[in-house]
């Protein structure tokens, strides 16, 4: 088969004809129940979850009150992408989301790649939410006096890693009582868990429970899922508004000074966490076939969901940073934390209950989206035919829904929350980038049927160079040191926690002896806490650098330099190279500004993620390509072969 067969495309006309024939070729049509209001509710259900109940705390601690600008930036970036999604959804009103859109714009191999990435996005996103839900649910049980063993409420990787970290810190003199609560929990889970040989049985059973319940609900039908989602959205919106209404009376404006304590760097530090708060609006597009008027309602549902959630996020961020100092907010449950700190325990209880509801509604939308991706890929022959079977009574993709339950439930027992959060973010951003690029690729084609919604056209030919110039002025004028350090790959000093947890027993003693020589009062400490002793110098950059330079340990432990440092910058260099290419493309082709900005913003947020996320994501895509060339390519409907 010729190489260009990899880029064979589906036409919009053929896709729409295929939907009409679903009843006659064995694929029953999905039930049409959704309106613009339902879609907006689904969007809010997906977005108002982990972001407002968890990640907003870490982002606020990093950026201070100025984190509201990060929420605005992320909302604008998501809005740019939402315009592109809305245009495609209006043009191709079928299930499949970015997968189907890429099939039209780029061809089969790109569609497969994005479909495979979406499978990862929704699977990993569901795992993330299930783990978060488990944390809130077990916390709620604890407050009610019901204590589950630690080893049934934590994933295996967190327990193993936490045990190793706790052991290293206690070896460095830190007492168990002075370990962070998360590390204490991990240590207890690992040491109290049943052991089979050398294997510790640690598994997050509440996460498994919620996935089973949500999967059963989604299997039962779209109407039931919609009704449950709408109820949960009303509950959590009432709670969020109550938090704002009560919290505003406890705001001390002195806490907003300084407004950006860590500057632009501090604000941008939380970009991946804040972006994760917006993941979910794209799941709306997977329900296109179940909408009564998808060409009108899908764009409206996406936009209203983003607007409403952005207003809520900004209001919550201002209230939180006004109630307590920003530097106290790096906790897993910031809303409950601030009210508990102000001795409003009745509000903490209400928030705990609402968080459980909020997480369940997020999981509902995410778990609903994935089977529809499987179904669309199966319809095209890229996955086995059974994935596209629709239940004759419930009108849902039944087999794909059950498989999704297993794919999410098993990893949720064992995987680490941080790992799956970042993987979900990179998969979603990759989808956003391709959807925005798809709109740009099709903008000048006249043979494509257009829907009712079209992204407003603004010529980017001269605007983009001006924006690039502004960016360069900011980088070299207001952020020169960080920019030059990035370009020259300047050696970076590791933080105290990373250094101490990398030491063996002999090195630990050497570091303690050295710290005593430079500060004799440390010798009176009965149980020296090396992390605390070393981190106290971090407040003064020059002093910290001097202390680190004198430590009697290898430079590889103290510093990060050379390729070890450069590898973390590879994603940002990729972004910069692609940015130059986009400038040239926009100048030659008069590209539309809004989808181009969406592409650039989402690619920038991808570049802010760790290089390890790019590597893991690359491995996932390679596995997908093996499946494509061994099964999907020859069984594709465009290849004329039925499964």
């Amino acid at each position: 088969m010729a190489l260009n067969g990899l880029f064979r495309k589906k036409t919009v006309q053929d896709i729409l004809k295929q939907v009409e024939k679903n009843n006659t070729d064995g694929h029953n049509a999905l039930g049409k129940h959704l309106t613009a209001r339902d879609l907006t509710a689904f969007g809010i259900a997906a977005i108002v979850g982990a972001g407002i109940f968890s990640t907003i705390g870490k982002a606020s601690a990093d950026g201070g009150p100025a984190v509201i600008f990060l929420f605005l930036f992320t909302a604008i970036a998501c809005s740019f992408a939402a315009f592109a999604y809305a245009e495609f959804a209006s043009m191709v009103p079928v299930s499949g989301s970015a997968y189907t859109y890429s099939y039209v714009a780029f061809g089969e191999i790109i569609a497969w790649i994005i479909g495979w990435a979406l499978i990862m996005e929704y699977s990993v996103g569901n795992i993330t939410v299930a783990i978060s839900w488990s944390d809130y649910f077990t916390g709620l049980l604890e407050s009610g006096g019901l204590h589950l063993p630690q080893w049934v409420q934590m994933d295996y990787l967190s327990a193993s890693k936490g045990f190793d970290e706790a052991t290293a810190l206690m070896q460095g003199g830190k007492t168990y009582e002075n370990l962070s609560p998360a590390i204490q929990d991990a240590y207890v889970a690992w040491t109290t868990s049943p052991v089979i040989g050398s294997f510790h049985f640690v598994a997050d059973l509440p996460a498994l429970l919620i996935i089973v319940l949500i999967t059963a609900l989604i299997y039962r039908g779209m109407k039931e899922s919609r009704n449950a989602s709408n109820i949960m959205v009303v509950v959590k919106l009432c709670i969020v508004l109550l938090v704002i209404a009560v919290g505003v009376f406890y705001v001390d404006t002195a806490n907003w000074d300084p407004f950006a304590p860590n500057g632009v760097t501090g604000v941008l530090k939380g970009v991946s966490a804040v972006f994760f708060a917006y993941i979910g609006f794209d799941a709306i597009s997977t329900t296109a076939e179940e909408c009564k008027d998808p060409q009108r309602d899908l764009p409206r549902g996406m936009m209203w969901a983003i607007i409403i959630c952005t207003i809520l996020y900004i209001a919550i961020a201002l209230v939180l940073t006004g109630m307590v100092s920003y530097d106290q907010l790096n906790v897993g449950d910031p809303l409950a934390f601030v009210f508990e700190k102000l001795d409003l325990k009745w509000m903490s209880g209400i928030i705990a209950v609402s968080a459980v509801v909020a997480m369940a509604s997020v999981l509902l939308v995410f778990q609903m989206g994935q089977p529809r991706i499987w179904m669309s890929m199966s319809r095209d022959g890229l996955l086995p035919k059974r994935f596209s079977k629709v239940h004759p009574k419930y009108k849902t993709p039944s087999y794909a829904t059950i498989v999704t339950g297993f794919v999410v439930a098993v990893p949720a027992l064992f995987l680490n929350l941080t790992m799956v959060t970042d993987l979900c973010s990179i998969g979603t951003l990759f989808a956003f980038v391709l959807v925005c690029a798809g709109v740009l690729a099709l903008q000048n084609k006249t043979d494509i049927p257009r829907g009712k919604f079209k992204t407003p056209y603004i010529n980017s030919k001269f605007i983009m160079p001006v924006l690039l110039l502004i960016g360069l002025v900011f980088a070299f004028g207001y952020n020169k040191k960080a920019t030059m350090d990035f370009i020259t790959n300047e050696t970076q000093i590791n933080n105290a926690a990373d250094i101490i947890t990398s030491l063996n027993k002999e090195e630990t003693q050497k570091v303690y002896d050295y710290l005593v020589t430079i500060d004799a009062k440390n010798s009176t400490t009965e149980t020296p806490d090396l992390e605390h002793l070393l981190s106290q110098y971090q407040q003064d950059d020059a002093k910290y650098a001097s202390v680190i330079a004198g430590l009697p340990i290898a430079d590889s432990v103290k510093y990060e330099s050379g390729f070890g440092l450069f590898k973390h910058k590879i994603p940002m260099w990729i972004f910069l190279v692609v940015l130059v290419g986009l400038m040239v493309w926009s100048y030659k082709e008069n590209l539309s500004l809004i989808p181009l900005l969406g592409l650039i913003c989402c690619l920038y947020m991808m570049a802010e993620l760790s290089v390890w996320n790019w590597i893991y994501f690359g491995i996932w895509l390679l596995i997908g390509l093996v499946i494509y060339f061994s099964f999907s390519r020859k069984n594709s409907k465009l290849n004329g072969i039925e499964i």
Side-chain angles (χ1 to χ4, degrees), residues 1 32 54 67 198 200 229 242 248 303 351 456 458 481 521 530 538 542 552 602 618:
M1 186 185 296
K32 293 184 179 294
S54 180
V67 74
S198 60
H200 288 250
S229 172
L242 178 63
V248 74
M303 296 303 177
I351 290 167
I458 303 172
K481 185 181 185 306
K521 69 180 181 181
L530 283 190
Q538 287 186 220
C602 293

Side-chain angles (χ1 to χ4, degrees), residues 483-546:
T483 303
M484 293 308 298
D485 286 350
F486 175 83
I487 294 173
T488 60
N489 204 39
E490 183 70 24
T491 298
Q492 301 290 315
I493 304 174
N494 287 325
N495 64 43
D498 289 339
I499 292 174
I500 298 305
T501 54
S502 301
L503 303 178
N504 59 35
K505 195 167 186 179
E506 183 181 345
E507 291 170 331
T508 299
Q509 187 60 49
K510 286 182 179 179
V511 169
Y512 173 65
D513 292 341
Y514 171 75
L515 292 177
V516 168
T517 64
I518 64 173
D519 190 351
K521 69 180 181 181
N522 292 327
S523 62
T524 62
T525 307
E526 293 180 7
T527 53
D529 182 347
L530 283 190
E531 184 195 12
H532 173 71
L533 295 181
L534 192 56
S535 61
Q536 66 184 350
Y537 297 106
Q538 287 186 220
Q539 297 175 357
D540 184 335
D541 291 343
K543 180 67 174 175
Y544 184 64
S546 173

